[in-house]
């Protein structure tokens, strides 16, 4: 079969080492060829035939071969390797997702995720990790369905099989219900002696599980605060050499002269995590279908983690009292009308917990940026202004300032925190004048505020706005 262009499978060229260095020689040739030695060998006309697999020659291995070498099925059941397998899956489905892989690799990747879902269902552990992966898959389905007149590109039969697999994974995740034992079952966790509870905590491999456990009751909190818990966790995830180098370099010492192992663990986690020295908390709008999670991941810096919390489902007055995803109740569209102050404060407390959690993980407040769109932007703006520590910046897109009459009395952050506002002048949902009024109010007590108008834009975003966001993030959270 003739080739009209260069193809990597073409056996017509080879590299050989000569006295002058490496040279490219033709395989199909007649006459004399210089070899590694000084002798010349007469080679008759011939056609070179390779008996080995071309993938081995090119140094290329398919995803299936990588999975086999990783011993994936056994790794999923290994408490220590499970976290890293899930991190690998998260990397493969993020950004462009599985659509950037060949069809066979896509099918294998989804089979791997289904295996993870089954293991989580059987073990009743790591449910949050599974839900995170499911969210990525939901985003992939939406992206593909928007590519070409509401239909995905490529093989329809292949995509149909993918959708069926994703639906099975979602069904498994939704069916998982971890419930506590009934009142007749004894003993309860509270009834166990302190040493038994400590041994349970020593078997938790995820630091977020430890921190969540500390909120259960006072004894659990005291045990999680013990240095032994964090020392064992550090030795579980990192080598002795990594720990020794960090302890010698940074010397995390407490007042009593002992090593602060919690700080050591988080320092090691941030040092070995490619996305771990800054955080972007993007409060998602009530409608997830717009692909905001993916858009925000696209504007982050290489060393930034993106967190996208979603709104709970509550009754909304403007929705005739029916339940829908919403951060707080919306009673009216009138800027001077009544507001759900209790709901706003409750939602703000949840955002503050997210920020505090990142700070406790070792990320400086000045490297945390918070933003949102529509109601999410309103909540992000209010949460940032009422957080006592200075954040890297605030982003409010097509939104407003809730409880604006409480300011500047309610202000807790420094007045130097940068604020970026973006609003379309054709917004039919959150009127453009609301954004202008919010900007006017903010300028009375904040020093670094900017308001950008996007001509002809409705209640959505645009490439121009996303470029401005990217510049704002890079300016206020520089790379390290």
């Amino acid at each position: 079969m003739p080739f009209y262009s260069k193809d990597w499978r073409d056996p017509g060229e080879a590299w050989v080492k000569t006295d002058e260095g490496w040279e490219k020689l033709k395989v199909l040739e007649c006459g004399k060829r210089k070899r590694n030695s000084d002798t010349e060998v007469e080679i008759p006309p011939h056609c070179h035939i390779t008996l080995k697999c071309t993938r081995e020659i090119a140094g290329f291995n398919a995803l299936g071969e990588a999975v086999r070498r990783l011993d994936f099925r056994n790794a999923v059941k290994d408490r220590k390797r499970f976290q890293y397998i899930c991190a690998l899956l998260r990397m493969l489905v993020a950004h462009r997702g599985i659509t950037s892989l060949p069809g066979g690799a896509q099918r294998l990747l989804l089979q791997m995720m289904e295996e993870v879902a089954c293991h989580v269902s059987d073990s009743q552990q790591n449910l949050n990790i599974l839900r995170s992966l499911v969210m990525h898959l939901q985003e992939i389905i939406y992206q593909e369905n928007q590519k070409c007149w509401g239909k995905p590109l490529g093989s329809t039969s292949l995509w149909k099989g993918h959708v069926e697999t994703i639906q099975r994974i979602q069904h498994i995740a939704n069916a998982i219900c971890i419930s506590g034992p009934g009142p007749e079952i004894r003993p309860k966790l509270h009834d166990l002696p302190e040493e038994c509870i400590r041994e349970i905590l020593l078997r938790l491999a995820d630091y977020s599980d430890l921190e969540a456990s500390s909120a259960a009751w006072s004894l659990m909190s005291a045990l999680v605060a013990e240095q032994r818990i964090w020392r064992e966790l550090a030795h579980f995830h990192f080598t002795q050499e990594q720990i020794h180098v960090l302890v010698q370099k940074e010397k995390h010492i407490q007042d009593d002269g002992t090593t602060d192992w919690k700080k050591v663990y988080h320092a090691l986690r941030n040092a070995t995590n490619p996305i771990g020295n800054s955080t972007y908390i993007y409060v998602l709008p009530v409608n997830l279908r717009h692909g905001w999670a993916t858009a925000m991941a696209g504007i982050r810096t290489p060393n930034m983690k993106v967190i996208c919390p979603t709104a709970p489902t509550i009754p909304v007055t403007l929705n005739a009292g029916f339940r829908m995803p919403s951060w707080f109740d919306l009673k009216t569209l009138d800027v001077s009308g009544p507001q759900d102050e209790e709901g706003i404060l409750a939602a703000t407390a949840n955002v503050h917990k997210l920020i505090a959690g990142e700070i406790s993980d070792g990320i400086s407040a000045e490297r945390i940026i918070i933003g949102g769109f529509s109601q999410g932007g309103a909540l992000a703006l209010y949460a940032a202004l009422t957080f006592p520590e200075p954040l890297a910046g605030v982003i409010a897109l097509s939104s407003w300032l809730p409880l604006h009459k409480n300011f500047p009395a309610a202000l807790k952050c420094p007045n130097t925190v940068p604020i970026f506002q973006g609003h379309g002048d054709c917004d039919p949902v959150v009127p453009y004048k609301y954004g202008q009024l919010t900007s006017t109010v903010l300028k009375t007590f904040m020093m670094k505020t900017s308001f950008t108008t996007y001509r002809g834009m409705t209640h959505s975003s645009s490439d121009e706005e996303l470029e401005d966001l990217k510049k704002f993030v890079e300016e206020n959270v520089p790379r390290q």
Side-chain angles (χ1 to χ4, degrees), residues 244-275:
H244 178 74
V245 169
L246 184 96
V247 170
Q248 293 297 318
K249 180 181 178 181
E250 300 191 13
K251 299 185 182 299
H252 294 286
I253 306 299
Q254 299 184 106
D255 295 337
D256 58 1
T258 60
T259 302
D260 190 335
W261 283 101
K262 183 176 182 179
K263 290 184 177 180
V264 169
Y265 169 77
H266 286 303
L268 285 167
R269 191 175 65 86
N270 291 334
T272 57
N273 186 0
I275 305 175

Side-chain angles (χ1 to χ4, degrees), residues 190-460:
H190 295 73
D191 301 327
L192 296 178
E194 178 180 319
E195 189 56 36
C196 290
I197 297 176
R198 183 182 289 107
E199 289 300 320
I200 293 173
L201 292 175
L202 286 170
R203 282 161 175 74
L204 294 180
D206 192 337
Y207 76 95
S208 58
D209 291 337
L210 280 175
E211 294 178 342
S213 300
S214 65
W217 80 93
S218 57
L219 175 60
M220 190 79 82
S221 177
L223 293 175
V224 171
E226 290 182 356
Q227 291 300 315
R228 178 189 173 190
I229 300 291
W230 294 97
R231 184 185 70 236
E232 295 298 326
L233 188 66
H235 283 89
F236 181 81
H237 285 285
F238 305 103
T239 64
Q240 186 63 42
E241 291 76 15
Q242 289 175 310
I243 295 173
H244 178 74
V245 169
L246 184 96
V247 170
Q248 293 297 318
K249 180 181 178 181
E250 300 191 13
K251 299 185 182 299
H252 294 286
I253 306 299
Q254 299 184 106
D255 295 337
D256 58 1
T258 60
T259 302
D260 190 335
W261 283 101
K262 183 176 182 179
K263 290 184 177 180
V264 169
Y265 169 77
H266 286 303
L268 285 167
R269 191 175 65 86
N270 291 334
T272 57
N273 186 0
I275 305 175
N277 61 19
S278 59
T279 301
Y280 181 12
I281 300 176
Y282 186 76
V283 185
L284 287 172
V286 297
N287 191 348
L288 291 177
R289 295 184 301 166
H290 296 290
W292 278 105
T294 303
M296 292 303 103
I299 70 171
R300 68 170 178 83
T301 60
N303 294 324
M304 177 176 283
K305 176 172 65 175
V306 177
I307 300 176
C308 296
T310 56
T313 301
I314 62 173
V316 176
T317 303
L318 281 179
N319 195 35
F322 290 105
R323 298 176 65 85
M324 64 174 287
S326 184
W327 291 107
F328 47 85
D329 189 17
L330 297 171
K331 299 179 181 294
T332 177
L333 293 177
D334 187 357
V335 68
S336 59
Q339 300 187 58
D340 179 19
E341 183 170 359
E342 182 181 354
I344 293 170
L345 296 179
T348 300
N350 289 331
V351 176
H352 285 174
K353 286 180 182 178
L354 283 177
I355 300 174
E358 294 302 301
I359 295 175
S360 67
D361 288 350
I363 297 177
S364 169
E366 295 179 347
R367 293 192 62 80
I368 298 176
I369 196 166
I370 182 171
F373 174 84
S374 191
Q375 190 192 46
L379 176 58
L381 189 56
Y382 188 87
L385 295 177
T386 56
F387 192 74
E389 297 188 46
L391 300 178
V394 190
I395 295 172
L397 307 180
S398 303
S399 56
W400 70 98
L401 176 60
L403 305 177
H404 60 279
K405 295 181 180 179
N406 294 355
F407 291 94
L411 182 68
K412 294 182 180 179
C413 74
N415 63 356
T416 55
V417 173
I419 300 175
F420 175 89
Q421 275 187 270
H423 217 117
D425 60 358
C426 296
D427 193 332
V429 180
V430 180
Y432 177 63
K433 66 177 183 180
Y434 286 8
Q436 291 178 309
L437 290 172
T438 296
S439 178
T440 301
V441 171
L442 290 174
K443 287 179 180 179
T444 61
F445 56 88
M446 298 299 291
M447 296 177 59
K448 298 181 179 180
T449 67
S450 64
F451 182 82
T452 305
T453 301
Y454 297 94
R455 302 296 179 187
M457 191 174 77
T458 60
H459 194 62
S460 61

Side-chain angles (χ1 to χ4, degrees), residues 102-171:
Q106 294 177 17
R107 190 181 297 108
L108 178 61
L109 180 58
L110 289 176
Q111 290 173 356
M112 293 164 62
M113 297 191 72
E114 190 171 8
E115 186 80 18
V116 168
C118 292
H119 175 70
V120 171
S121 178
D122 295 339
S123 64
Q124 298 282 289
Q125 297 178 11
N126 300 301
L127 182 57
N128 290 336
I129 293 177
L130 175 60
R131 286 173 175 168
S132 174
L133 293 173
V134 169
M135 283 187 62
H136 282 297
L137 294 179
Q138 291 173 338
E139 195 64 37
I140 289 170
I141 290 179
Y142 172 74
Q143 291 175 15
E144 287 301 301
N145 288 339
Q146 301 302 311
K147 282 190 175 178
C148 184
W149 297 287
K151 296 181 179 179
L153 298 174
S155 170
T156 54
S157 59
L158 178 67
W159 184 246
K160 181 180 178 181
H162 290 352
V163 172
E164 291 175 353
T165 304
I166 292 174
Q167 288 175 345
R168 287 198 303 271
I169 296 172
Q170 291 174 332
H171 177 73

